[in-house]
Amino acid sequence: MVHDAINHLEHFSGDGDTLFFAHANGYPVGSYRQLLQALTSCCSVVGMNQRPIWDQSPAPKRLDWQQLSEDLLDTVHATQSEPVWLMGHSMGAVVATLAAASEPEAFRGLVLIDPVFFMPESIPERQAQSDAVLDTMPLVARTLTRPERFDDPQSAFTFYRGKRSFQDFSDSVLMDYSRASLTPAEEGGYRLRYPRAWEAAAYRSAPAVWDALRAISLPVLGLRGETSDVLMPEVFELWGETQPQAALETLTGGHLLPLEYSAETAVRIKQFLKQDRTPLDQHEAG
């Protein structure tokens, strides 16, 4: 299905090395327009809309994280001739981690923004829970009952503007999300591009990442929102112990910091990318 992924890439013109981006659960690439446009001053940015947006198959009960990683690798191989920088947010950061651990030679380094990492001991506990139990989690229950149709992007914007989850979004970022998250429906109006059943599948699952993190020796920038309720402080600390070469930092914002504070997040990412401008042949020689 690599052609489906390629058909849903979004390109942001820019100069320099390619930066390949994987988005969060429920947030298509266009939601990040302000962040990604800001990064074009140092990079040629490519955003990959992931499988839930283009796969017409019924959503699984639990997300296959490795499948999304393989989608990313297949798309990078099909579209890029040299190693690229890889950036992901939330779900996308997990996918980026698994891809880089599988084929490190395809990448120059990683930018991981508030990834969905869990303490190792909690992963088998989550995996052992039944779907019925997981469906009682507030996050899953809210996802499965939230609106999936709107008259137009403006009506979606009005609905989202009143929600606490988006209180720190500027109006312009919230409108980007409202537009990016919808597609015209055959029967009229608009429907969610990212089906809520796929979104719930991610929330029911707990990705295993610790072996992958240990395997990665590439340059890594890890960013956590200071009020994040996803990447918890004890997990962030363990990440630093597991991956000592990573530059791990806390920035203003919550789990959605690249959308809440797009400009500030972009500044730190550009600083990191400019630190490593070693020619590719020297990387390979090393």
Side-chain angles (χ1 to χ4, degrees):
M1 287 190 177
V2 66
H3 62 283
D4 294 305
I6 292 173
N7 290 340
H8 288 82
L9 293 177
E10 296 188 30
H11 298 265
F12 297 80
S13 60
D15 297 322
D17 300 328
T18 297
L19 176 66
F20 205 88
F21 174 66
H23 60 78
N25 186 33
Y27 290 85
V29 168
S31 309
Y32 300 83
R33 181 184 63 83
Q34 294 191 31
L35 171 71
L36 301 180
Q37 288 284 12
L39 293 172
T40 60
S41 62
C42 72
C43 297
S44 177
V45 181
V46 180
M48 177 182 176
N49 282 303
Q50 299 191 71
R51 179 174 288 266
I53 288 177
W54 46 261
D55 190 343
Q56 300 303 308
S57 306
K61 279 293 187 178
R62 305 194 190 200
L63 197 67
D64 184 342
W65 298 86
Q66 195 60 46
Q67 181 182 57
L68 298 192
S69 168
E70 291 169 5
D71 289 341
L72 190 153
L73 287 168
D74 289 344
T75 306
V76 167
H77 289 318
T79 62
Q80 308 297 321
S81 59
E82 295 183 338
V84 301
W85 289 99
L86 181 57
M87 179 172 74
H89 173 220
S90 189
M91 177 184 83
V94 173
V95 173
T97 299
L98 297 176
S102 178
E103 295 191 32
E105 65 278 5
F107 305 105
R108 299 195 65 168
L110 297 174
V111 177
L112 306 177
I113 307 173
D114 222 78
V116 186
F117 292 168
F118 295 91
M119 290 298 283
E121 60 270 20
S122 70
I123 295 173
E125 295 174 6
R126 172 71 70 87
Q127 292 172 340
Q129 289 179 308
S130 69
D131 295 334
V133 169
L134 292 172
D135 283 351
T136 66
M137 293 171 51
L139 185 58
V140 176
R142 287 196 304 268
T143 296
L144 292 173
T145 57
R146 73 185 185 94
E148 56 184 352
R149 296 186 181 276
F150 293 93
D151 292 337
D152 51 42
Q154 182 60 51
S155 64
F157 172 90
T158 301
F159 174 81
Y160 294 137
R161 184 72 289 174
K163 299 301 181 182
R164 187 174 63 178
S165 299
F166 305 107
Q167 65 183 3
D168 292 327
F169 282 30
S170 67
D171 283 351
S172 58
V173 170
L174 186 59
M175 181 54 77
D176 285 341
Y177 167 67
S178 299
R179 290 172 176 153
S181 65
L182 298 177
T183 190
E186 292 181 2
E187 62 275 23
Y190 290 76
R191 62 172 176 81
L192 294 179
R193 292 177 67 202
Y194 197 112
R196 60 192 187 183
W198 275 97
E199 189 174 348
Y203 294 141
R204 292 189 193 98
S205 61
V209 298
W210 297 100
D211 287 345
L213 287 171
R214 281 187 284 270
I216 294 171
S217 58
L218 295 164
V220 175
L221 173 65
L223 300 177
R224 176 182 183 269
E226 63 181 347
T227 59
S228 174
D229 57 359
V230 173
L231 182 59
M232 304 308 292
E234 62 271 20
V235 181
F236 196 54
E237 181 178 358
L238 180 60
W239 180 7
E241 296 170 358
T242 303
Q243 205 171 51
Q245 89 279 13
L248 303 187
E249 301 177 18
T250 298
L251 300 183
T252 301
H255 179 59
L256 299 177
L257 74 153
L259 298 161
E260 297 166 338
Y261 295 92
S262 303
E264 296 84 349
T265 305
V267 167
R268 182 61 191 97
I269 293 169
K270 286 190 284 187
Q271 290 172 344
F272 170 73
L273 296 176
K274 290 175 181 177
Q275 289 172 4
D276 190 330
R277 291 301 187 190
T278 309
L280 288 175
D281 56 354
Q282 291 187 32
H283 274 291
E284 294 165 357

